[in-house]
Structure formats: structure tokens, C-alpha cells
Amino acid sequence: MSQGTSTTSVDLMIHARWIIPVVPENTVLSDCSLVIDNGQILAIHPTTEAKRLYSADHEHHLDEHIVTPGLVNTHNHAAMSLLRGFADDHPLQTWLEEHIWPTEAQWVTPEFVRDGTELSAAEMIRSGTTTFADMYFFPEETAKAALNSGMRCQLHFPVLDFPTAWGQGPDDYIQKGLALSDAYRSHPTINVAFGPHAPYTVSDEPLQRIATLAEEMQAPIQIHLHETAAEVSDAVANTGERPIERLNRLGLLSPLTQCVHMTQVTAEDIEVLKQTGANIIHCPESNLKLASGFCPVKALLDNGINVALGTDGAASNNDQDLFGEMRTAALLAKGVSGDASAVDAHTALRMATLNGAKALGMDAEIGSLEVGKQADITAIAVNQLEQLPLYNPVSALSYNNISHQVSHVWVNGNPLMEDRRLTTLDEHRVREKAKYWQNRIES
């Protein structure tokens, strides 16, 4: 208790017009406050009661704001922000084989990854994301950039059959990844997981080894899966198995697994996903831009399968805006299913928060605003003409153009942005580094 008063001293209080905690479901709290101490949510009270019970070192009065859990971007190649707009308007295989992979072979270095990840981190913070999952080369540099930004990060170290700038083959990738995992063991904001790139780039033996190691370590696995119709048809022609069947046979599918894209899904595939408990990472805007197909989100959710959201890298999306992905995911689900009630506003927000935390194995810590969870929080101002009138704050988040209205972001109760000003990253430096790489690559 603070001396001379009947109030409890805490680190931070956030007083908000609306709080959408995600848990309990479909809940909107009005004129309430989050009480935060030692990086955790200590209490949620009506503001008048919170002010009576607590005194805080720092207080924010967000009287025209919506406060939500920090958004969780479950699939990214953050360093590829430096290739934003570099190779637009190509099909996936052409985009990869004729543009992205040759460019990466020439330019990807530790410096490239560090600078590109900081650019992505700045963009993600400015659009409300507090946690991101990443799969890219030199993940040790991604970790450094994430630490510098203050964001929470799950690193999926890449594994492929062929050499790249980061490794010579599967054994080398796995050895380096395990060393990175040891380096960040029990770290509060960085954890390391397996990232076999895709069924068509990783052979059986490494996949089986990853399945065994992941189970032993209880470490997540993220893999691109059923991204295009050609991927599936080629696999069937060559092996007689759909890729998901092969992964299941090899023991790779479990609640630890994050299946990215899944635009080609049959009823049989849904049964496999239900039986194994694997998670789906839906990247609607990247899939649309590359004409990869449509993930049947409504059918997956109706079958109890966890579906989370990712932006994919900026080279195949052009932005890292998870609020934009929420809107696209909701609209696309309605169009694909023919059901206007599919993926309602609350569901879209849950996909971008708690479902994402669950896919990453972090739902005990983040993804909702609950007492005892980490204080990863996003605040959005809704006082501009484009947001008015405001009848339903959850609808505003899911259907309005909202990301540029994000005003404050916290991770573990630490501010990453206040009143649109980045507090952990030097915006001028990030901008200059982006221009430096543009000039190098263009030349």
C-alpha cells in the first residue's frame, strides 16, 4: 500500500472508453481500466473503482479509444520488407524461382535481415501488432531486431534440402537452429521453433527428424502447406499422396504444428486436421495477390480447427497490417462460403489475437486481456471522421480502415509506441536503412 493512502501502488493504469478483452467472448467493456504491475494485468475495473483502489506511476486516459489485446501476426518473413514491391504481379512459382530466390541469393546477409526486420517491426508496431512469428534466414539477426524493438517473437528457423546463404543443407540448418534455441531458452520474449519450408523443398528424413525433435522439445513447427493447387496436384502425381497425408504419415502434424496457407482443403483434409489438432495460419491478402486460392475458413472453424492470421512477408503482401488482414479475412470468408454471417467481427478479432496466441503455444500468456496475463496491449483512437458514427466498436476494428489510428502499443507493460511515436526504434534510422537497401538493390 502506498504511504498515507488506501490505494495500492502499481506501474501503469490505462483508462479507456472501450476495452475488448476477447475473453469472455463477445464482450465489450465501457469506461473501464486495465491495472498493470510487473508487466502483467493485475485487474480490470470500472474506471471510477480503479482510481479509488490504485495509484499508478503512469496513467493514460484514452477517452476516445478502443483497447484490445496486442495483435499476433502468426506468419511473416520480416526481412523481406526490403523487397516490398520488388516483384509484383507474378504467380507463386515464377515469383519464387525467377525473382525472389535469385535476389535473395545475391543480397541476403545478416545486415539485410537485421535492417529488414527492424523496418517490419516498426510497421507492425504502428499497426497494432505486438507478437510476430517469423521464418527466414539468419534468424539470429531477426532475434536481435525483435529484442531491439521490444516485440515478442517466435522464430522458425528455416530448413530446406538445398544450400542458402544461411546453411548448407538440412543437418546444418537444424544444428544452427538448435544452437539458437539453446541461446534463447526460457527467454521472456523470444522463443525458437522449427521452420521446414514446405513439403516440396524438404525431404522425408529431415521432416521425420524435425517431428521427433519438436515432440521431445515441445517446440512448434511452422510449414507452408497446400498453398496452391499445383503444389497438391504435383505431389499426388509424383508420390500418390496429398502433402497433408504425407506430413501426417511422417508424424509432423500435431497441436504443435502451424500449417500456413491451406488454400486447397478437402473434407478428408479437415478430418486429418481435426484428428491431429494442427493449427491453420490464414494469410488472405498474400493468397489473393499471388492468386493461390481461398482458405475455407468457415468450414475449418465450424469443425473446431484453430485458425489464426498472418500477413506473410511484405514482398508478397506489400504491408504488415494485421487489421487489414482481419477485414480481408472476414469479407473473404463471407464471399467464399456464401454466408454473410461467416467470420463475424468478434471472430475476426479473435483470429488476430487469441487464436494466434494459441497457434504459437502462447495463449496462457497473451492473446486476451485477462488478469494474470502479460500486458501486451494495443489502443486505437476512433475519433476521426472516418470512424463516425460509432455504433459497434468491434465492427469498427474489423471493417473500418483502422490501422493508421493505432495510438499506443505495450508489450509486458512497456511502451513501444505512444501517441503514434515509436519509443524503441529510431524511425529516422529505419527509414534511412530502407532507402540504403533500395539504392543498393536497384543499382
Side-chain angles (χ1 to χ4, degrees):
M1 307 292 280
S2 59
Q3 187 175 2
T5 74
S6 60
T7 60
T8 300
S9 296
V10 296
D11 295 332
L12 172 67
M13 283 202 291
I14 301 169
H15 312 296
R17 177 66 183 87
W18 293 282
I19 296 175
I20 305 174
V22 177
V23 173
E25 287 191 45
N26 304 326
T27 297
V28 178
L29 305 175
S30 298
D31 299 313
C32 285
S33 301
L34 292 168
V35 182
I36 295 151
D37 200 47
N38 294 318
Q40 291 185 320
I41 299 172
L42 182 65
I44 306 174
H45 290 302
T47 295
T48 52
E49 184 177 353
K51 289 182 175 180
R52 178 175 61 83
L53 295 173
Y54 300 94
S55 61
D57 295 338
H58 302 280
E59 288 189 69
H60 291 273
H61 293 84
L62 304 180
D63 300 328
E64 297 180 295
H65 295 68
I66 302 169
V67 169
T68 73
L71 304 188
V72 181
N73 183 352
T74 51
H75 181 62
N76 203 347
H77 310 286
M80 294 184 79
S81 61
L82 294 177
L83 298 177
R84 189 195 320 266
F86 175 78
D88 290 341
D89 306 322
H90 297 285
L92 176 64
Q93 291 309 121
T94 303
W95 179 79
L96 281 173
E97 294 171 5
E98 298 182 19
H99 299 277
I100 296 302
W101 286 345
T103 303
E104 287 178 329
Q106 182 176 0
W107 292 108
V108 172
T109 61
E111 182 187 15
F112 178 100
V113 172
R114 180 78 177 270
D115 293 345
T117 302
E118 287 200 352
L119 176 60
S120 275
E123 182 180 358
M124 285 189 283
I125 293 167
R126 284 169 57 87
S127 53
T129 292
T130 55
T131 298
F132 71 105
D134 202 72
M135 182 196 293
Y136 207 61
F137 311 110
F138 300 104
E140 64 275 11
E141 297 299 323
T142 304
K144 292 175 187 176
L147 286 170
N148 193 37
S149 73
M151 295 184 74
R152 202 178 297 276
C153 179
Q154 184 169 100
L155 292 164
H156 298 265
F157 62 84
V159 180
L160 304 103
D161 280 347
F162 49 85
T164 66
W166 189 60
Q168 295 305 307
D171 290 344
D172 192 24
Y173 295 122
I174 292 172
Q175 181 180 358
K176 288 178 176 177
L178 293 176
L180 187 66
S181 179
D182 286 341
Y184 285 97
R185 191 179 305 279
S186 301
H187 194 279
T189 59
I190 305 292
N191 70 77
V192 179
F194 294 87
H197 173 259
Y200 57 87
T201 55
V202 189
S203 52
D204 282 5
E205 192 278 330
L207 290 175
Q208 288 176 309
R209 185 179 175 200
I210 288 168
T212 300
L213 288 168
E215 180 64 27
E216 290 174 354
M217 299 167 61
Q218 286 298 289
I221 302 169
Q222 185 169 109
I223 185 167
H224 301 88
L225 184 63
H226 288 210
E227 185 170 0
T228 65
E231 174 197 335
V232 177
S233 61
D234 288 350
V236 172
N238 293 331
T239 69
E241 286 182 304
R242 291 171 67 80
I244 194 172
E245 294 172 331
R246 174 175 164 237
L247 296 190
N248 194 30
R249 174 174 57 80
L250 295 173
L252 204 78
L253 298 182
S254 79
L256 295 169
T257 311
Q258 305 159 19
C259 305
V260 183
H261 298 302
M262 291 299 291
T263 70
Q264 314 297 314
V265 179
T266 65
E268 292 76 16
D269 296 338
I270 289 176
E271 284 303 310
V272 171
L273 293 166
K274 288 172 64 176
Q275 291 166 13
T276 61
N279 303 275
I280 302 301
I281 309 301
H282 180 34
C283 304
E285 293 185 4
S286 174
N287 292 341
L288 286 168
K289 185 169 182 250
L290 293 168
S292 298
F294 307 112
C295 180
V297 172
K298 182 180 186 299
L300 293 165
L301 292 173
D302 287 349
N303 279 276
I305 295 163
N306 186 49
V307 182
L309 292 178
T311 58
D312 212 345
S316 60
N317 181 333
N318 297 62
D319 66 53
Q320 308 286 282
D321 176 2
L322 208 60
F323 277 117
E325 299 294 333
M326 283 171 52
R327 183 175 190 269
T328 302
L331 298 180
L332 193 59
K334 299 174 194 305
V336 169
S337 67
D339 180 356
S341 67
V343 184
D344 62 23
H346 278 280
T347 301
L349 179 60
R350 190 180 184 94
M351 289 167 64
T353 53
L354 190 58
N355 287 14
K358 181 180 179 181
L360 302 184
M362 298 181 181
D363 50 315
E365 306 168 59
I366 62 168
S368 57
L369 301 177
E370 299 180 74
V371 172
K373 283 198 170 183
Q374 300 303 118
D376 289 14
I377 300 164
T378 291
I380 308 98
V382 285
N383 55 357
Q384 298 298 308
L385 291 175
E386 294 84 353
Q387 314 307 331
L388 301 175
L390 200 159
Y391 300 109
N392 183 334
V394 188
S395 175
L397 294 181
S398 296
Y399 298 120
N400 295 6
N401 181 16
I402 204 84
S403 62
H404 65 287
Q405 293 295 105
V406 172
S407 60
H408 297 70
V409 170
W410 294 266
V411 169
N412 287 338
N414 298 314
L416 309 192
M417 184 170 72
E418 294 184 323
D419 292 317
R420 295 294 292 171
R421 181 182 62 84
L422 296 174
T423 61
T424 56
L425 293 171
D426 182 338
E427 185 173 337
H428 174 75
R429 180 184 176 280
V430 171
R431 190 189 306 272
E432 291 305 306
K433 286 287 187 178
K435 291 178 180 177
Y436 162 80
W437 282 104
Q438 177 185 342
N439 291 336
R440 285 192 68 185
I441 293 170
E442 279 185 333
S443 65

